[in-house]
Amino acid sequence: MSQETRIPGVYGPGTYAEQTFIPVPQDAERIFRLLASQTAKFTKDEALLSKVRFTGEEYPVLPGPIKAVPVAAALHAMIGVVADEILTLRGLEDKKRRITVDTTHAAFWLGTVAVVYIGNETMATLGQQGRLKPLLTDWEQGWHSTPMKLRGTGIYPTKTPGTWYSLHGSLNIPPMIRTLGIDPDEPGIDTNDKAAAHIAKFTIQHTPAELEFHMLTHGFCGSICFTPEQWNTSSMGRGLAANPLVNIKPQPHAVPTPPISFPPFRDGDHRPLAGIRVVEMTRIIAGPQIGAILSSFGADVIRVNAPHLPDVTTLQLTLNAGKRTIGLDLRQPEDKEYLLSLVEQADVFLQGFRPGVLKKHGLALEDLLVIAAKRNKGIVYVTESCYGPDGYYAERPGWQQIADCASGAAYVTGRALDLEDGECVLPPLPISDMSTGAVGALGTMLALRERATKGGSWEVHAALVAVNSFALSEEVGLYSRETVRQGQERFGWDEMRGAHHVLDLLRTVLKGWTGKEELRRYLEEESGWFQAWEGSQFGGKRLSILRPVVKLGDVSSPEWRGPSVPYAMGKREEVKFWE
């Protein structure tokens, strides 16, 4: 579809809606071709591009106008193409190999953190009945244990009519809301609605600029809910746009290292990344999703959690699939030494901390380039962030919700819902988190391919706001109001509001999916769309999670060779890379 067919301004300044609906698989193909043409290190060989096939439901299966599903499907297809190239490098060329991506599977993948069976029961059922918590090691430190703590992360009105602000407590709400004069233990606040109304009484006393300055000076997360046009024309938006979405860079200033061939296949494992070693230091969703994709393609991923930092407990069920986990506190010399010993053996170092945080521990890019030079073997350094690699927001903390508000995604979602006074609403799933995971995995696999053929070390950067900005671009386009209305009629989505947490919105989407027979059958545990393991580390029960999205049609297709496991399960000296 040409850009000339877009209708500007349908969802506010800087938005572009399509005139004619394109079925989702066809749209995924279009976006795949678009991204392929825009990604410098990605093949332009038609023989490889034409291997890709998209299938799936023709209509959108998520609320709102953002084309999250075809974008995610396109990214997975690109991952499949690079996997095919790596297989060729490793002696498994197959010109007839098909790379298949089901767009409906890609939609469920966006909600994969909630699409789980434990002991043949859904995670949602166990949670509702109070039987989930005893199965999991609690890492949350009570971050949403009260209505005030839960609603401390949300979108609220400001003193400026029509402009809303996103609060985020980074899993520790009380210190942030106290600085706004809000008592996190306010008597009588015993429901989520009361908590949201109480917080709004305070935010509405301040302009967006005042709230922004307050969060900056106190070191907290937060963002004005910009329109896409406001973000795109800001200095930060322009700076981020100067970087490609799939952002990989050679390190020519480093000591040269030779090309490093992929290791020989062993033990019948012919997945593309078999034998590749990854150290992962990430939290929550986006960074761990990069590692989960790499592990599904065969990489040996060791995930490191800092025992003193909170994380979302239920994410252990899905995002540690195929990995081994260990708890290391870098403030302790023995733990730091052990981590560095793992990094010295790694092909990939994956981290999600702000610039400068890891430098004091000898884990900045420059430090690892020195390690690479000493061992004469390049490394791929992968960073997942909110705002991107440079600009004055680069060092600012941020999460998915912040990226959704900064980029304009929350503004667009609110306009599609026709809410009053410019109320903004998060997109309905952890879309930017999951999609950034796909971008990071794609960049990593491209960098590994480049290291194998050209040598050297490579830097990869995946940014939450960049993913949103691409999805909101004129080239991608937004669904029309008519298409959004038809989706509402088809699924009967529950009310979505600014104060709703991503957990609330996940439940809204799951309710819509399970209410439609044609989708519900895909989500049944025995549908063939799940991978299962008996005797998991979660109460010894059977664990079933959604399979990887990409299918390669042979023994090289991605799959996890081990179940998801709890955070920090392994002991130091016992967790080592496989020989």
Side-chain angles (χ1 to χ4, degrees), residues 81-413:
V81 170
V82 180
D84 183 62
E85 290 182 297
I86 291 173
L87 288 169
T88 296
L89 288 175
R90 301 186 73 167
L92 289 181
E93 181 178 16
D94 183 351
K95 294 183 179 180
K96 295 183 179 179
R97 183 182 287 120
R98 288 293 176 217
I99 301 159
T100 304
V101 173
D102 188 299
T103 57
T104 307
H105 191 164
F108 295 155
W109 171 79
L110 290 169
T112 194
V113 296
V115 183
V116 185
Y117 285 88
I118 310 167
N120 304 113
E121 296 183 273
T122 66
M123 184 178 76
T125 297
L126 292 171
Q128 290 165 2
Q129 297 177 0
R131 294 186 290 128
L132 179 63
K133 197 171 183 178
L135 302 176
L136 306 174
T137 304
D138 184 10
W139 277 70
E140 295 183 349
Q141 301 178 15
W143 73 270
H144 64 101
S145 56
T146 68
M148 284 294 289
K149 289 181 179 179
L150 181 64
R151 289 296 182 251
T153 294
I155 301 172
Y156 290 99
T158 69
K159 193 174 183 179
T160 302
T163 303
W164 291 57
Y165 195 87
S166 175
L167 301 178
H168 197 298
S170 298
L171 304 188
N172 188 15
I173 308 300
M176 183 269 291
I177 60 177
R178 282 195 187 101
T179 65
L180 292 171
I182 304 171
D183 182 359
D185 302 311
E186 180 73 24
I189 306 296
D190 54 5
T191 69
N192 293 336
D193 287 345
K194 287 181 181 178
H198 185 68
I199 293 170
K201 291 179 183 177
F202 288 81
T203 62
I204 206 165
Q205 298 174 32
H206 303 280
T207 67
E210 289 170 345
L211 288 169
E212 188 82 334
F213 186 74
H214 178 91
M215 296 302 164
L216 282 167
T217 55
H218 286 82
F220 294 125
C221 286
S223 179
I224 297 170
C225 292
F226 294 114
T227 69
E229 182 177 80
Q230 287 171 331
W231 172 259
N232 292 336
T233 56
S234 70
S235 60
M236 191 60 215
R238 292 195 304 271
L240 184 58
N243 292 281
L245 175 62
V246 185
N247 193 353
I248 73 170
K249 297 177 181 177
Q251 302 299 298
H253 60 286
V255 175
T257 54
I260 301 296
S261 299
F262 286 91
F265 289 117
R266 295 181 58 185
D267 302 322
D269 187 354
H270 293 98
R271 292 174 297 167
L273 299 183
I276 292 295
R277 296 172 169 182
V278 180
V279 172
E280 174 191 322
M281 290 186 66
T282 64
R283 295 166 65 202
I284 316 300
I285 296 177
Q289 181 56 220
I290 297 174
I293 293 174
L294 297 178
S295 73
S296 75
F297 278 92
D300 183 6
V301 180
I302 295 177
R303 179 175 179 183
V304 178
N305 282 88
H308 60 286
L309 295 178
D311 211 315
V312 179
T313 296
T314 56
L315 300 181
Q316 299 171 96
L317 294 166
T318 52
L319 297 185
N320 289 341
K323 304 176 186 178
R324 287 170 296 150
T325 62
I326 185 171
L328 296 175
D329 185 346
L330 298 190
R331 298 171 300 182
Q332 305 301 320
E334 323 84 66
D335 283 3
K336 181 176 177 179
E337 181 181 355
Y338 191 72
L339 176 61
L340 287 171
S341 74
L342 292 174
V343 171
E344 287 171 357
Q345 304 170 62
D347 300 288
V348 177
F349 180 68
L350 164 59
Q351 65 92 18
F353 292 86
R354 285 178 289 141
V357 172
L358 293 183
K359 186 174 181 60
K360 62 185 176 183
H361 298 295
L363 292 166
L365 172 61
E366 295 79 10
D367 300 312
L368 269 63
L369 292 179
V370 172
I371 291 175
K374 289 179 178 178
R375 69 184 191 179
N376 199 32
K377 178 182 178 181
I379 195 163
V380 176
Y381 193 100
V382 186
T383 299
E384 171 269 319
S385 74
C386 183
Y387 292 105
D390 44 42
Y392 63 91
Y393 272 16
E395 296 185 4
R396 192 175 181 190
W399 306 86
Q400 171 224 314
Q401 296 95 323
I402 299 301
D404 291 345
C405 293
S407 63
Y411 178 89
V412 166
T413 303

Side-chain angles (χ1 to χ4, degrees), residues 153-156 164 419 423-426 496-501:
T153 294
I155 301 172
Y156 290 99
W164 291 57
L419 298 176
E423 182 175 352
C424 299
V425 178
L426 294 176
M496 297 167 56
R497 300 300 298 267
H500 286 176
H501 193 276

Side-chain angles (χ1 to χ4, degrees), residues 284-287 289 384 399-400 430-438 464:
I284 316 300
I285 296 177
Q289 181 56 220
E384 171 269 319
W399 306 86
Q400 171 224 314
I431 289 167
S432 56
D433 262 336
M434 294 293 288
S435 299
T436 300
L464 295 162

